[in-house]
Amino acid sequence: MAHTNRKHHRNTGKNGHTGPAGTSRRARSERRALRREVPCTVGLLADEQDFAAMRRYRTFTFDDHQRYLRQIDGLLRSLATEGAHTAVALFDPEEFAEYCAETGLDPDTAASRGRFTARIAATGGAVVPYTGQPVGHLVPELVNTAVRRAAWEYATMVLADLGDCADCGVDIGRASFDRASRLLTQLIERAGPGTHHLVCSIPTPDEQLLAALHVKRPDTGPARLDASESAEFVTVLAAGIALDSHGGVVLRTTGPDAPDRLHGWRLRNSGLAPLSEGQVFSAYCTDADTGEPLSPEPGVEYRAGFDLGIGDADIHH
């Protein structure tokens, strides 16, 4: 959904240093330098259904989704050669139609599609940076980002709607968030050095909430983690604490010249209770849909969760 128009003018001057010809070359060079500092966001229709929905607009000229994806891939590679920061946003036709109805824009124009794409990036929608990955990798990245954002928004709404405890006046959402933050801090601290991947799964009456967090913990110095991922993880875990859910957290640790280690915890009494080695093995080696056993993953050790040093608490009163 990104559109760029350029006009090229032949320089008829005799030298590139003085006079109108030299000035023109200098101006183009300066504009190219500025272009590298202007971010660009490309809207992407990830699946056939969304693509088909956009075909009702006369100005959307594509008629084949696979060809469209190839053209998006070529556009992204072209933008990358200019050195500008490029991001890809998940374009939702239903949200686009609602946006145009609310703002009075004509949806059947490229300008309206461009404005909506810019709005996605500005309002924290599903956006991923383009770093040269093929479009086939971008699509699942965008979908996963959209799922994460939806889980975060739902968990945030849950925490905001709980209000204060009727008995003690404590803000249940805030207390749950603070508790989740402490649990995550301790989990990272006690996991030790290595590359860690954490997943928090929280069942709710409306949907299954998932949050993932990547952490790199060097032998010395603080752990490195993404602030947005961390906030999403804590918010989803806090929602589980506030709802007194039966969710849990799993941790996968990867280190050099060693098997991956898998640990697990279940949410209980506003805390994370360690699972036994057998429970961790069962959780990973059982098909969640059928209950049938699955083969253990090669090169992986299934280990019990470790104590986080934070006792049970009652924040629900």
Side-chain angles (χ1 to χ4, degrees):
M1 309 287 175
H3 303 269
T4 305
N5 297 316
R6 295 180 176 85
K7 293 183 179 180
H8 299 278
H9 302 279
R10 179 177 297 275
N11 192 335
T12 57
K14 295 182 179 180
N15 62 70
H17 305 288
T18 60
T23 301
S24 178
R25 270 199 292 267
R26 179 178 178 181
R28 288 199 300 271
S29 176
E30 290 173 340
R31 282 196 297 270
R32 283 194 296 269
L34 286 173
R35 177 66 184 87
R36 288 191 289 271
E37 300 187 25
V38 178
C40 176
T41 303
V42 178
L44 175 64
L45 296 161
D47 58 40
E48 292 276 4
Q49 184 176 351
D50 287 345
F51 180 82
M54 292 301 294
R55 290 193 59 198
R56 68 176 181 267
Y57 300 119
R58 178 186 56 80
T59 57
F60 185 76
T61 57
F62 289 93
D63 56 12
D64 180 85
H65 188 233
Q66 291 304 313
R67 179 175 175 79
Y68 161 82
L69 291 177
R70 289 194 296 271
Q71 293 298 329
I72 288 286
D73 189 66
L75 171 63
L76 292 171
R77 285 188 276 109
S78 174
L79 291 170
T81 62
E82 299 179 4
H85 171 74
T86 304
V88 183
L90 188 65
F91 195 101
D92 187 310
E94 290 186 9
E95 291 183 2
F96 170 64
E98 292 173 1
Y99 169 75
C100 289
E102 292 171 357
T103 57
L105 293 174
D106 179 3
D108 200 359
T109 66
S112 295
R113 294 192 289 273
R115 287 184 61 175
F116 177 70
T117 299
R119 178 180 178 272
I120 299 172
T123 56
V127 178
V128 299
Y130 177 69
T131 58
Q133 65 270 54
V135 71
H137 293 173
L138 275 170
V139 169
E141 276 189 75
L142 278 170
V143 172
N144 289 338
T145 300
V147 170
R148 280 179 30 228
R149 295 294 298 179
W152 174 75
E153 289 172 359
Y154 179 87
T156 300
M157 179 185 67
V158 166
L159 297 177
D161 289 346
L162 287 172
D164 297 340
C165 173
D167 295 329
C168 66
V170 170
D171 185 323
I172 296 175
R174 169 52 60 185
S176 300
F177 190 91
D178 292 343
R179 178 77 172 171
S181 298
R182 287 186 61 208
L183 289 168
L184 176 60
T185 298
Q186 284 297 100
L187 205 161
I188 294 173
E189 178 66 26
R190 300 203 172 195
T195 299
H196 308 295
H197 178 68
L198 298 97
V199 176
C200 180
S201 176
I202 302 295
T204 72
D206 298 319
E207 59 182 292
Q208 183 81 14
L209 301 183
L210 291 173
L213 176 62
H214 299 272
V215 180
K216 288 189 177 181
R217 177 89 184 278
D219 293 333
T220 59
R224 297 191 293 271
L225 64 164
D226 182 85
S228 296
E229 281 190 359
S230 178
E232 292 167 6
F233 190 95
V234 169
T235 304
V236 168
L237 179 56
I241 292 172
L243 295 172
D244 200 18
S245 172
H246 298 290
V249 171
V250 293
L251 165 70
R252 186 183 191 115
T253 298
T254 304
D257 304 320
D260 286 4
R261 304 188 305 276
L262 298 176
H263 304 266
W265 296 260
R266 66 175 177 271
L267 197 56
R268 187 182 66 188
N269 297 331
S270 302
L272 290 174
L275 296 176
S276 68
E277 182 178 316
Q279 289 171 323
V280 172
F281 180 89
S282 177
Y284 274 95
C285 299
T286 302
D287 189 297
D289 296 324
T290 66
E292 294 294 320
L294 301 173
S295 300
E297 189 176 346
V300 170
E301 294 181 354
Y302 300 89
R303 297 188 178 184
F306 41 83
D307 182 59
L308 302 183
I310 301 178
D312 294 345
D314 183 8
I315 65 171
H316 303 95
H317 299 282

